[in-house]
Amino acid sequence: MAELGIPRNTIEVLQKYHFIFQKKYGQNFLVDPRVLDRIMDAAEISREDCVLEIGPGIGTMTQYLAERAGEVVAVEIDGNLIPILQDTLSGYENVRLIHQDILKMDVKRLAEERGKPLKVVANLPYYITTPIIMGLFEEDVPLQSITVMVQREVAERMQAGPGTKEYGALSLAVQYYAKPEIVANVPPNCFIPRPNVGSAVVRLRRYGTPPVQVTDERKLFAIIRAAFNQRRKTLANSLGNAAALGIPKEKIVPALEKMGLCAAIRGEALTLEQFAVFSNLLSEQDS
Ligand code: SAM
């Protein structure tokens, strides 16, 4: 089977099937063998692994994965790509192709049936990067790692720490579940068609247990969301204004002071650990 990572071969397949790109599905096909090799190295794929690939496109990365993994489960939403994939993946017996929307799939069951944590590897459709990644974490899918191509800006937000402009609710949510690491920056000319933004490959190594202990996970994430909803405000004002949180204003400042933080601090200055302690203090006061 032709190496689809070479632009000429991808174009040939697209022409053979008169394929029309669907913008709504975020279709930008990767055509750079060096980037594909870099992704394989970062994901550390071996024959022991069951890999979930989200959005195989015409099967370029799927072929790379199938050469290295024990099994590849590739989930594609676009029905027009299914006959193409059946062709490009015909020689690979360890690939299972599923025609479905990943957001509607029971990935947890897929992992449980395999009896081992999955590795997720993908060039993600950018319009649903966050729901896909947070869905995998929040539904507690058994995972070893997620190695994915995303918009560079999103990768930077995942990896950011306190006090930077990229730091926000996404950084904290991702870092609660996994250790993020940007492993490659990828320019638009590595794709057909070219996206309007730069891309990056980020590897998220799933923690066995979160790096901080919280008594009420939902409360922690509600506080984080409220803190960054009104980024320019102090943490006390942001939380005090978020009626749905149900935290009385008069409890917020004493909790901050107990932590040795100033009452006028903004959410963007707090580490994940500090958010966890703060959330635990407010939970104690509830009980
Ligand atoms: N993996 C291919 C590559 O690297 O060349 C294609 C990547 S392209 C950025 C994203 C792929 O995800 C497309 O094939 C698109 O049709 C598919 N896709 C978009 N939304 C999806 C969804 N909700 N569930 C499954 N696949 C989806």
Side-chain angles (χ1 to χ4, degrees), residues 24-30 36 53-61 75-78 81 100-103 122-128 132:
K24 67 172 177 184
Y25 289 145
Q27 293 173 337
N28 301 96
F29 298 163
L30 189 52
L36 284 153
E53 188 193 3
I54 297 160
I58 61 166
T60 312
M61 194 189 290
V75 181
E76 174 57 59
I77 197 171
D78 185 353
L81 286 169
Q100 231 206 71
D101 178 347
I102 189 67
L103 295 178
N123 170 16
L124 285 180
Y126 293 172
Y127 74 108
I128 43 169
I132 290 176

Side-chain angles (χ1 to χ4, degrees), residues 199-221:
S199 305
V201 179
V202 64
R203 177 178 58 204
L204 309 173
R205 283 204 168 110
R206 181 79 160 94
Y207 292 127
T209 47
V212 295
Q213 289 203 324
V214 277
T215 41
D216 183 346
E217 237 174 52
R218 280 176 47 190
K219 183 171 215 138
L220 170 70
F221 287 118

Side-chain angles (χ1 to χ4, degrees), residues 3 28 33 66 90 133 139 148 200 219 231 236:
E3 145 72 297
N28 301 96
S90 63
I133 293 178
E139 281 154 34
V148 281
K219 183 171 215 138
R231 231 192 138 93

